[in-house]
Amino acid sequence: MNTNYEPKLPKAFNCYLDNADIVDELSDRDAGRLWKSLFYFAKTGETPDFPNSKIKIAYLYMAGQLERDFEKYRNRCLRNWENAQKLRKDAD
């Protein structure tokens, strides 16, 4: 069985409503920077530099949830791939 499977990045990420209180504490400009940093993290896995600690604190909290969600996604993709490999093997 081929074990060289690497799941792709998800095409989306969840925005949790309980994060609204955090975002509401930021200025519109800082909230925009926060969202841009979350998109950057989702695409690259890298943490950007931040102009102030308020944005960084909000980012760390929200990026942690993204990491957990992405890990669940990767695990689900891997399980699906393993199940497909088993079905192929059984079909042969």
Side-chain angles (χ1 to χ4, degrees):
M1 186 179 335
N2 181 0
T3 59
N4 296 330
Y5 176 73
E6 182 62 34
K8 295 180 180 178
L9 287 173
K11 293 183 180 183
F13 62 87
N14 294 324
C15 174
Y16 295 95
L17 292 177
D18 56 351
N19 290 334
D21 293 336
I22 295 168
V23 176
D24 286 344
E25 291 299 316
L26 299 173
S27 68
D28 289 348
R29 182 178 184 175
D30 286 349
R33 287 181 176 163
L34 170 63
W35 283 108
K36 283 186 171 191
S37 68
L38 291 169
F39 278 103
Y40 178 78
F41 172 74
K43 289 174 76 175
T44 67
E46 298 174 14
T47 298
D49 293 326
F50 297 97
N52 67 54
S53 60
K54 275 181 113 175
I55 301 172
K56 185 174 184 176
I57 291 167
Y59 167 85
L60 291 172
Y61 178 78
M62 295 171 77
Q65 185 62 54
L66 286 180
E67 286 178 336
R68 291 185 291 278
D69 290 349
F70 286 178
E71 184 63 25
K72 287 179 192 175
Y73 174 81
R74 285 189 291 271
N75 289 336
R76 187 174 67 238
C77 288
L78 182 57
R79 272 194 318 273
N80 290 344
W81 180 82
E82 289 171 342
N83 289 335
Q85 297 302 308
K86 289 176 189 174
L87 289 174
R88 283 189 186 140
K89 185 178 178 184
D90 291 345
D92 291 338

